[in-house]
Amino acid sequence: MTLNMTEAVPRHRGYDALALIGWILVIVALGASAGAFFAPGDWYDDLRKPAFNPPSWIFGPVWTLLFVLMASALWLVRRDQDAPPALRSRASGWFAVQFLLNLLWTPLFFGLRSPLLAVVDISLLWLAVIATMLAFHRVRPLAAWLLLPYLGWIMLAAVLNTSIWWLNLS
């Protein structure tokens, strides 16, 4: 019997589950770290906010869920051996771009106390999430659909961010 190195190696379910858990832990930890280093504080409390501003307690659970969905989507794309490596790589690259823009928003808004820079960032983030979804769809459509709640939350956050900037011009 000869071993053909071009044949796909069967995946072990335990490895797949560990990889998924690993992606979730990394993405959630990185996402949470931005909030831990740049807490809203008194400056944010003193800003004028629109009537539709969600209560503060909702942000932690929502972001945790969104980070879990993001990690799951990335895991699906990374493990799809049927897709050409170039497509998976491009999709992963777009994920990295949007995730970095996501992580940048918190220090811009809360650290630099610049709602305007945060508006610029979240606008680029919105475009990057759409690009990520399109790239994910080419690899694994379910992965793109898992990002839909994230896109919706980013849209709400963009309107909220822009409103806060506008209400506090002076």
Side-chain angles (χ1 to χ4, degrees):
M1 178 174 154
T2 62
L3 180 61
N4 182 348
M5 296 303 282
T6 60
E7 290 180 18
V9 177
R11 290 193 170 267
H12 186 271
R13 286 183 192 250
Y15 172 80
D16 273 353
L18 285 176
L20 174 59
I21 291 167
W23 280 114
I24 290 171
L25 291 175
V26 167
I27 298 297
V28 170
L30 288 172
S33 68
F37 287 116
F38 300 97
D42 294 337
W43 170 80
Y44 179 73
D45 293 339
D46 293 339
L47 290 174
R48 287 187 299 263
K49 298 173 197 75
F52 63 89
N53 191 60
S56 297
W57 63 265
I58 203 157
F59 288 93
V62 167
W63 274 113
T64 300
L65 173 62
L66 294 175
F67 287 138
V68 168
L69 291 173
M70 290 166 59
S72 300
L74 180 61
W75 172 76
L76 285 171
V77 166
R78 300 290 303 158
R79 73 183 289 271
D80 191 325
Q81 298 298 310
D82 293 333
L87 282 181
R88 287 183 299 163
S89 180
R90 187 175 306 118
S92 297
W94 274 114
F95 183 90
V97 168
Q98 68 79 26
F99 194 63
L100 288 172
L101 287 167
N102 181 310
L103 295 177
L104 184 59
W105 184 91
T106 301
L108 291 174
F109 191 93
F110 295 116
L112 294 179
R113 298 180 178 181
S114 179
L116 179 57
L117 285 177
V119 166
V120 172
D121 176 76
I122 205 164
S123 300
L124 295 172
L125 173 59
W126 181 78
L127 292 171
V129 171
I130 290 173
T132 303
M133 290 176 71
L134 292 171
F136 275 22
H137 190 270
R138 294 187 71 198
V139 176
R140 186 80 184 265
L142 175 59
W145 287 108
L146 287 174
L147 296 181
L148 195 57
Y150 176 45
L151 181 65
W153 185 256
I154 294 299
M155 291 167 64
L156 172 65
V159 171
L160 179 61
N161 185 164
T162 305
S163 298
I164 290 172
W165 168 70
W166 183 259
L167 289 170
N168 290 280
L169 285 176
S170 52

